[in-house]
Amino acid sequence: MKKFMNGAATLAQECLEGFVAAHGDIVVFGEGRKHVRRRSLNPAKVAVISGGGAGHEPMHTGFVGHGMLDAACTGHVFTSPTPDQILAAIRETDSGAGALLIVKNYDGDVMNFEMAAEMAMAGGAHRIETVIVNDDIAVERSARGTGRRGVAGTLVVEKMIGTAAQAGAALEELKVLGDAVVSATRTMGVALKGTTVPQTTRETFVLGPNEMEVGVGIHGEPGRSRDDMTDASSIAALICGHILDDFGSLDGQSVLLFVNGLGATPLSELYLVFGLARAFFERHGVIIARSLVGTYVTSLDMAGVSITITVLDEHLTALWDAPVQTASLRW
Amino acid sequence: MKKFMNGAATLAQECLEGFVAAHGDIVVFGEGRKHVRRRSLNPAKVAVISGGGAGHEPMHTGFVGHGMLDAACTGHVFTSPTPDQILAAIRETDSGAGALLIVKNYDGDVMNFEMAAEMAMAGGAHRIETVIVNDDIAVERSARGTGRRGVAGTLVVEKMIGTAAQAGAALEELKVLGDAVVSATRTMGVALKGTTVPQTTRETFVLGPNEMEVGVGIHGEPGRSRDDMTDASSIAALICGHILDDFGSLDGQSVLLFVNGLGATPLSELYLVFGLARAFFERHGVIIARSLVGTYVTSLDMAGVSITITVLDEHLTALWDAPVQTASLRW
């Protein structure tokens, strides 16, 4: 699919420049115009920092602001930010309370955030904790390999940790909280069209008119099965069924249901899927206590949706409900 | 392109059901589950009502709430709501201060809202005024025919009228204000891919790999020229140039710059276009005082953007800045 761009090499930076130009009331560029941070920082609180490759917009830059992130580092499309970028973000936002890094579980991201953390901690300059997000149940758990990927559930982790940090939680508490939110969160996605990578302007996988890709990630990688295209009710039942199986049971539990667009799927279809997913879970005794529908964690122009469930308790519900003022998430 | 749907006949209603299920804190269904209205109505204020065919989501249902619309009526995909639907919305939301109807300039919408207004005014039951939105400069002005279409600028009109109504403006004042906002607002769009209509699952127009459609509307209709695909800077200059020409001059004027996605274009590309459009207008002496970037006024899964300029004065700026609490627009 064609794109609005001047060239693949400058795409990520030009998007970032436009983002900062549009949201100068909330964010400013950090050193070297390679990361963004909150315009007004609170030196008493723990800095909450995330980042990753470009191509997942509005994540993570759109989540910088009151009640969520202090800084977001963006690499090239689907490429981790460098340790230097992350280190600069830590130095600009941590005034002594420490920094909590939220990292999606991909080899490159994990390695670069780890290197940045080591550099930041050298000589006791900064205290750092890291939360790894791995909510994608399409990848089987195993003792070997990288394990499950971080996908749309990252938004939930960033909102809850960001709000707790805003309220004054200490670094160690935030680490425990973040790991708990990750454990309570599971996601699965399905695509009707692959991602068009700007370097090649070709789709990463090509689906026939009667095919869909089940279990996709957010980097244009193929899913775990190619199924026959079917109606929305059957697709919702398939994905929600996998999520329910992975939890074991959710009977009687209160949850957040988050239906996320992967880039090119219209909001109307997301609401349609949300209605079907909600009905599916309610039939299985799940209480949909909170909901979110929108295009937040994307894979460039992939057409598809992901469905995320986070099991809520009173504390997590309060963290979700608290005000947030970012470019893309506001209440 | 494939869609998440159970069938073309039920698509619009299923989307609406999902929308209401997701936003029960803000909206409720009206009579017959055919329109949505604010959960908490203020009987002292003028009711602000809009609507149109489905397929433009989040417009209009996503704009129901504090500081914007009191009700939104949705027809089938790209089909006007019926006079009965609109009349029911008027009856449920106007307690005596009157109702202001915001109507996009299409024959079917204008006719059905007019019939509903006549039915509502019969016997003096309701006082009604109507604002027709016609911001699309791709259509030439002429003495004959329907004239310019209503497109993304509708959001700006709904925000400003909605906020003035919330503040207690009288019906006649809102009519004058609405017409003034329409006069101050111009839009033009460009598509890289046509709209896939659910009834046929085919695109309304098919573009070659090196073509783009300039001057598109929001119903999958072709634009005013088919041009060679080019880089984002050239596209932004082309569209912004047409808008500038249509205004005559904007030198030294303060404006709202709104870059809108037409459905399938990722937010990253919208920010890229915003940055280029902003730079273009600034080079021409225009002051970008306010901005909005996002996918708000759509044509199902069309890939493309529209660019809207509203000339601001102190009053319109204050109306834009005032708080709004809807499903899709919040600050």
Side-chain angles (χ1 to χ4, degrees):
Chain A
M1 199 149 94
K2 299 184 288 282
K3 289 181 193 294
F4 293 100
M5 66 179 192
N6 286 324
T10 60
L11 177 69
Q13 189 63 29
E14 285 186 90
C15 294
L16 201 55
E17 299 277 346
F19 173 80
V20 173
H23 300 290
D25 53 329
I26 300 175
V27 299
V28 292
F29 264 122
E31 183 191 306
R33 305 176 81 79
K34 291 291 180 197
H35 69 272
V36 300
R37 64 168 178 83
R38 286 175 62 174
R39 176 169 281 283
S40 48
L41 294 168
N42 172 354
K45 73 181 271 298
V46 173
V48 181
I49 299 168
S50 190
H56 307 304
E57 291 75 13
M59 183 173 80
H60 301 269
T61 49
F63 305 151
V64 173
H66 178 90
M68 215 157 165
L69 300 180
D70 293 284
C73 305
T74 304
H76 291 288
V77 172
F78 296 164
T79 306
S80 173
T82 63
D84 280 352
Q85 271 176 271
I86 303 161
L87 180 63
I90 293 169
R91 286 183 173 152
E92 289 181 23
T93 56
D94 173 24
S95 308
L100 192 289
L101 311 182
I102 302 174
V103 184
K104 302 191 298 301
N105 191 32
Y106 300 97
D107 285 336
D109 285 339
V110 170
M111 186 177 70
N112 285 359
F113 274 88
E114 205 170 274
M115 284 177 63
E118 281 170 20
M119 290 153 74
M121 289 187 291
H126 297 273
R127 292 187 307 125
I128 309 283
E129 291 283 358
T130 299
V131 171
I132 305 283
V133 184
N134 60 356
D135 56 312
D136 186 359
I137 64 162
V139 179
E140 302 292 346
R141 286 188 195 282
S142 91
R144 294 174 305 122
T146 306
R148 292 183 162 183
R149 303 172 288 206
V151 287
T154 310
L155 177 151
V156 182
V157 178
E158 294 183 358
K159 169 66 175 84
M160 290 179 176
I161 291 185
T163 293
Q166 191 79 48
L171 181 61
E172 296 69 23
E173 288 174 71
L174 293 174
K175 164 67 175 161
V176 172
L177 170 68
D179 288 344
V181 177
V182 171
S183 293
T185 300
R186 316 274 166 99
T187 298
M188 191 162 176
V190 55
L192 307 188
K193 186 185 77 61
T195 299
T196 317
V197 178
Q199 288 84 343
T200 64
T201 69
R202 277 201 299 270
E203 291 177 26
T204 51
F205 55 85
V206 177
L207 295 171
N210 294 310
E211 289 177 334
M212 62 182 186
E213 192 78 15
V214 178
V216 291
I218 54 171
H219 295 89
E221 60 273 56
R224 79 177 185 192
S225 68
R226 188 159 297 184
D227 292 13
D228 288 343
M229 180 65 189
T230 182
D231 60 89
S233 291
S234 303
I235 296 172
L238 176 73
I239 302 297
C240 296
H242 281 303
I243 293 171
L244 205 55
D245 286 349
D246 200 81
F247 274 111
S249 165
L250 290 172
D251 194 24
Q253 306 232 47
S254 287
V255 305
L256 162 68
L257 169 58
F258 168 27
V259 172
N260 173 61
L262 291 173
T265 290
L267 187 56
S268 51
E269 296 178 41
L270 302 184
Y271 279 122
L272 190 147
V273 171
F274 172 81
L276 299 169
R278 182 185 154 109
F280 176 93
F281 284 116
E282 287 184 342
R283 281 196 303 276
H284 288 83
V286 186
I287 299 156
I288 307 298
R290 294 294 183 275
S291 56
L292 181 69
V293 182
T295 300
Y296 293 108
V297 178
T298 63
S299 177
L300 293 169
D301 61 355
M302 178 181 277
V305 304
S306 66
I307 297 175
T308 298
I309 287 280
T310 298
V311 178
L312 297 172
D313 59 18
E314 212 171 303
H315 182 213
L316 297 190
T317 305
L319 290 174
W320 181 254
D321 287 348
V324 57
Q325 293 289 332
T326 68
S328 291
L329 211 63
R330 290 180 181 231
W331 56 70
Chain B
M1 200 149 93
K2 300 185 288 282
K3 290 180 190 297
F4 293 99
M5 66 178 192
N6 286 323
T10 59
L11 176 69
Q13 189 63 32
E14 284 186 272
C15 295
L16 201 56
E17 299 277 344
F19 172 80
V20 173
H23 300 291
D25 52 330
I26 300 175
V27 299
V28 292
F29 265 123
E31 183 190 304
R33 304 176 82 79
K34 291 293 180 194
H35 68 273
V36 300
R37 64 168 178 82
R38 285 174 63 174
R39 175 169 283 282
S40 49
L41 294 168
N42 173 355
K45 74 181 270 300
V46 173
V48 182
I49 300 168
S50 190
H56 307 302
E57 290 76 12
M59 182 174 79
H60 301 272
T61 50
F63 305 151
V64 172
H66 179 89
M68 215 161 165
L69 301 180
D70 292 285
C73 304
T74 304
H76 291 288
V77 171
F78 296 165
T79 306
S80 173
T82 64
D84 281 353
Q85 270 177 271
I86 302 162
L87 180 62
I90 294 170
R91 286 183 173 150
E92 289 181 22
T93 56
D94 173 25
S95 308
L100 193 288
L101 311 182
I102 301 174
V103 184
K104 300 192 298 301
N105 191 32
Y106 300 98
D107 286 337
D109 285 338
V110 170
M111 186 177 69
N112 286 358
F113 274 88
E114 205 170 272
M115 285 178 62
E118 281 170 19
M119 290 153 74
M121 290 188 289
H126 297 273
R127 292 186 307 124
I128 308 283
E129 291 284 0
T130 300
V131 171
I132 305 282
V133 184
N134 60 355
D135 55 314
D136 186 359
I137 66 162
V139 179
E140 301 292 346
R141 287 188 195 282
S142 90
R144 297 173 304 121
T146 307
R148 292 183 163 183
R149 304 171 289 205
V151 289
T154 311
L155 176 151
V156 182
V157 178
E158 294 183 355
K159 169 65 175 84
M160 290 181 177
I161 291 185
T163 292
Q166 191 80 47
L171 181 60
E172 295 68 25
E173 287 175 72
L174 293 175
K175 163 66 176 163
V176 172
L177 170 68
D179 288 343
V181 177
V182 171
S183 293
T185 301
R186 316 273 166 99
T187 298
M188 192 163 178
V190 56
L192 306 187
K193 186 185 78 61
T195 299
T196 317
V197 178
Q199 287 85 345
T200 63
T201 68
R202 277 201 297 271
E203 290 178 26
T204 53
F205 56 85
V206 177
L207 295 173
N210 293 311
E211 290 177 333
M212 62 181 184
E213 191 78 15
V214 178
V216 291
I218 55 172
H219 295 87
E221 60 273 55
R224 78 177 186 192
S225 68
R226 186 159 300 183
D227 293 12
D228 288 343
M229 181 64 190
T230 181
D231 60 89
S233 291
S234 303
I235 296 173
L238 175 73
I239 302 299
C240 296
H242 281 304
I243 294 172
L244 205 55
D245 287 348
D246 200 81
F247 273 111
S249 166
L250 289 173
D251 193 26
Q253 306 233 48
S254 287
V255 306
L256 161 68
L257 169 58
F258 169 27
V259 172
N260 173 63
L262 291 172
T265 291
L267 187 56
S268 51
E269 296 178 41
L270 302 185
Y271 279 122
L272 189 148
V273 170
F274 172 81
L276 298 170
R278 183 185 155 109
F280 176 94
F281 283 116
E282 287 184 343
R283 281 196 303 275
H284 287 82
V286 186
I287 300 155
I288 307 297
R290 296 292 183 275
S291 55
L292 181 69
V293 182
T295 300
Y296 293 107
V297 177
T298 62
S299 179
L300 294 169
D301 60 357
M302 178 181 277
V305 303
S306 65
I307 297 177
T308 298
I309 287 281
T310 297
V311 179
L312 297 172
D313 59 17
E314 211 171 304
H315 182 213
L316 297 190
T317 305
L319 290 174
W320 182 255
D321 287 348
V324 57
Q325 293 289 332
T326 68
S328 291
L329 210 63
R330 290 181 182 229
W331 56 73

